[in-house]
Amino acid sequence: MAATPSRHRGPSHGRPARRTVETIPPDAARRVLLRLQALDGPRPRSSPRAVERLVDRLGYVQVDSINVLDRAHDRILATRLAGYRPEHLRKAIEQHRSLFEHWTHDASVVPVGWVRHWKHRFRRHASTPRNDEWWRRRFGPDPQATLRRVLQRLRREGPLRTRDLERPERHRGGAWWNWHPEKAAVEHLWRCGRVAIAGRENFEKVYDLFERVVPRSADRSSSPSAHLSWACREAMTRLGVATAAEVAAFFEAVPVAEARTELSRMARRGEIVEVLIDSCDGGRSTAGFARTDWARFAGPIDHDAFLPLSPFDPVVRDRRRLARLFGFEYRFEAFTPAPRRRHGYYVLPLLDGDRFVARIDPRFDRAAGELLVRGPWWEPDVPRDRRRLEDALDRLAEQIGADRWRLERPDRPRTR
């Protein structure tokens, strides 16, 4: 383990002693995070049940449509499960019904056992179209009639895709952001928990009534206090060492102020401890919280190869935490104009143990069966291990089904 945490205690002088606060070094904090996020040791063999167990361990897996390499959710799972195939996730969602798709900080796959806590989110979204101009513009002149029509069609004909719901006289085609009223209606109904994603066809959502898709849809909602306790407890279980803001952001289920109050209550009960978290840059320590057993997760982490992580990996997505604990500055540049990109369209950070050592910009040429990789861009003061890089690219090519890989010169960012 890293340096022994320092302890700060005030003098008593006959009065009750001030509480002891540990300071956790950044290398220890990041190892705890990596281990709790299943980035330690050998990868278990994949199966639909293994996917279910992993999603429960992580808390959620973000879903994203970009497919220049593979889908973000598939990359997150393939990094942690040996022999992972996309149909393992599909079976867990569409056949076992042990997972369902909804919202955390973004669209994600979450355990179905948590439906009662998602009902708070459903209620919060119910009023959004009345208060949000973006939604109002997309609903058209008669939102209630559109909502009724979509629900009636799903009840009578479901499951249906968005394109099946659009009225023929309004069919425009075009990009996904050109929402017609029926698409706005079904997305609103999904976020409100009236409909659910029953499956996907070529990544296009297929909707049906919520009660037909989610087996625990009749569960009663948790109470507000139980929901707050759940959100903080489950986030701390998976983060290990975190600030109140990071706990609140984990599911984006509760406000930061409420999370901070609940975490302080948990600390007073001895369920967690208050700590200071040091930063890689030597700046001021940050006030936070830790599991009481955090130290047993803080030992060294070794990998047999570099691990290319998705830009949406739960370890990577919080850029501030990434910089504070890992000293790694990362920016997702897919939506940055190509001339202004520093590295590329879909850059993957390479993890080695508990450090990020490089980044690559990969693309899968499916017609040629070839993985094309721009880079690597190595971090300062790390060994440039070409053999381990090649091992990582061998494994990445195998995971996505490429016959071979080829390194390209990183002289200018790729547009797509």
Side-chain angles (χ1 to χ4, degrees):
M1 189 180 135
T4 304
S6 58
R7 298 173 185 269
H8 302 276
R9 185 193 301 273
S12 59
H13 299 300
R15 294 178 298 227
R18 284 161 53 187
R19 55 195 165 83
T20 298
V21 178
E22 289 183 309
T23 298
I24 301 180
D27 55 351
R30 66 180 179 248
R31 290 170 183 172
V32 172
L33 175 67
L34 291 169
R35 193 157 271 121
L36 293 176
Q37 290 293 307
L39 288 173
D40 64 317
R43 296 178 300 154
R45 175 60 53 180
S46 184
S47 69
R49 294 299 183 196
V51 167
E52 294 163 17
R53 290 191 294 270
L54 179 58
V55 174
D56 184 74
R57 177 175 175 178
L58 299 179
Y60 65 84
V61 168
Q62 184 173 338
V63 176
D64 193 80
S65 61
I66 296 176
N67 198 25
V68 295
L69 179 69
D70 54 2
R71 306 283 187 193
H73 42 284
D74 293 325
R75 176 92 326 259
I76 292 167
L77 296 169
T79 303
R80 294 162 170 84
L81 293 171
Y84 169 78
R85 299 194 301 275
E87 57 262 35
H88 294 164
L89 176 61
R90 190 160 53 247
K91 283 185 178 180
I93 296 173
E94 299 179 17
Q95 295 180 22
H96 297 177
R97 297 300 188 195
S98 56
L99 306 172
F100 74 107
E101 285 192 50
H102 212 268
W103 212 257
T104 55
H105 67 291
D106 210 319
S108 299
V109 176
V110 294
V112 75
W114 287 345
V115 167
R116 65 188 183 279
H117 295 292
W118 253 253
K119 292 188 176 184
H120 295 269
R121 196 181 302 261
F122 299 162
R123 286 194 293 271
R124 285 200 304 271
H125 185 78
S127 61
T128 299
R130 292 195 300 271
N131 303 323
D132 189 291
E133 177 62 27
W134 188 91
W135 281 94
R136 287 201 299 270
R137 287 201 307 269
R138 283 154 180 78
F139 262 108
D142 195 348
Q144 291 305 315
T146 304
L147 289 167
R148 285 195 299 271
R149 183 169 60 252
V150 167
L151 277 172
Q152 287 168 358
R153 287 202 57 193
L154 286 170
R155 189 172 292 113
R156 186 174 61 247
E157 306 171 39
L160 296 171
R161 302 165 298 177
T162 302
R163 69 176 72 180
D164 302 322
L165 293 163
E166 184 177 7
R167 299 174 76 173
E169 67 270 20
R170 277 206 301 266
H171 181 70
R172 297 188 307 273
W176 63 267
W177 54 83
N178 290 330
W179 285 24
H180 51 78
E182 290 77 16
K183 177 172 175 58
V186 77
E187 282 286 322
H188 171 65
L189 291 166
W190 171 58
R191 295 194 188 199
C192 291
R194 301 287 301 280
V195 306
I197 298 172
R200 288 180 181 265
E201 295 178 4
N202 296 321
F203 203 69
E204 185 178 4
K205 296 174 185 174
V206 180
Y207 297 93
D208 202 352
L209 299 180
F210 195 83
E211 59 268 24
R212 290 177 183 165
V213 176
V214 181
R216 301 189 61 166
S217 59
D219 284 4
R220 295 182 63 182
S221 173
S222 59
S223 68
S225 60
H227 177 64
L228 175 60
S229 177
W230 165 85
C232 294
R233 182 183 64 252
E234 297 297 340
M236 282 302 305
T237 296
R238 290 158 178 82
L239 295 174
V241 177
T243 67
E246 289 164 354
V247 167
F250 189 82
F251 294 115
E252 289 203 356
V254 295
V256 177
E258 292 183 18
R260 184 176 290 108
T261 299
E262 176 63 18
L263 290 164
S264 296
R265 281 197 291 259
M266 292 169 65
R268 288 194 296 272
R269 293 192 298 262
E271 298 170 19
I272 58 176
V273 292
E274 293 188 38
V275 296
L276 294 172
I277 310 168
D278 274 349
S279 173
C280 275
D281 64 7
R284 292 183 61 184
S285 299
T286 304
F289 301 86
R291 289 173 44 152
T292 57
D293 61 348
W294 69 267
R296 75 184 180 93
F297 299 102
I301 292 177
D302 293 316
H303 299 139
D304 57 2
F306 296 150
L307 297 181
L309 299 190
S310 163
F312 305 105
D313 192 279
V315 169
V316 175
R317 79 166 186 91
D318 188 329
R319 311 294 192 239
R320 283 187 176 181
R321 183 180 63 205
L322 198 63
R324 193 180 78 246
L325 297 186
F326 294 84
F328 186 70
E329 300 289 342
Y330 175 75
R331 181 181 178 190
F332 183 57
E333 299 181 291
F335 306 115
T336 301
R340 291 167 49 194
R341 290 180 194 144
R342 183 178 177 188
H343 295 111
Y345 179 77
Y346 198 71
V347 172
L348 308 189
L350 297 185
L351 182 68
D352 179 26
D354 68 347
R355 294 190 64 190
F356 287 97
V357 295
R359 59 195 90 200
I360 57 173
D361 178 27
R363 177 175 65 87
F364 184 16
D365 184 342
R366 291 172 174 82
E370 187 172 37
L371 171 63
L372 304 174
V373 182
R374 292 179 59 254
W377 293 268
W378 297 95
E379 289 295 285
D381 305 321
V382 301
R384 302 189 173 196
D385 194 326
R386 175 78 180 205
R387 181 191 62 79
R388 297 185 73 209
L389 173 65
E390 292 177 354
D391 288 346
L393 296 180
D394 284 342
R395 185 160 68 178
L396 182 59
E398 181 182 5
Q399 287 172 346
I400 65 173
D403 299 322
R404 58 194 175 276
W405 57 264
R406 174 162 54 92
L407 279 173
E408 299 178 321
R409 289 174 55 87
D411 46 2
R412 59 178 298 189
R414 184 187 289 137
T415 56
R416 285 296 296 267

